[in-house]
Amino acid sequence: MTSLNGRRGFLRGLVSLPLIGGGVTLIGAPTAVAAPVTERLMREYANWIAFEHYRAQIELHGTMDRQWYELHGAAYRWHEDAAGKADLPVQAPSTRAALVLSAVGCDWREGGL
């Protein structure tokens, strides 16, 4: 048994243990998901972003009639900084697609809901 398989088996065993009076809480911020970047993943991510944008506009404005992108603020600076600095590699959306979808509970894999 390799150490990787041993670790997975150990973690799988921990997850299957009955808990008395509590649960398991993960702490820290995940930085990656062990999933290959596929066309399906990117299609699902693009669809999720589109629907998230739609729902955010409804929540902000009550309608889709008034939609815009503000070219200031932290979200804009995040993209501007990543694209505008030569010493920072511009990371493609595919590098975070699986993490974002997993974080919101969207199962994009084949057969997922």
Side-chain angles (χ1 to χ4, degrees), residues 18-43:
L19 299 174
I20 299 172
V24 174
T25 302
L26 298 177
I27 58 173
T31 59
V33 173
V37 176
T38 63
E39 184 179 340
R40 178 186 176 94
L41 168 61
M42 291 307 297
R43 233 184 7 256

Side-chain angles (χ1 to χ4, degrees), residues 60-83:
L60 281 168
H61 308 294
T63 179
M64 278 296 290
D65 293 340
R66 185 183 163 218
Q67 51 180 319
W68 64 22
Y69 300 96
E70 295 184 20
L71 300 180
H72 57 76
Y76 177 73
R77 281 191 308 275
W78 184 88
H79 284 280
E80 184 181 52
D81 288 349

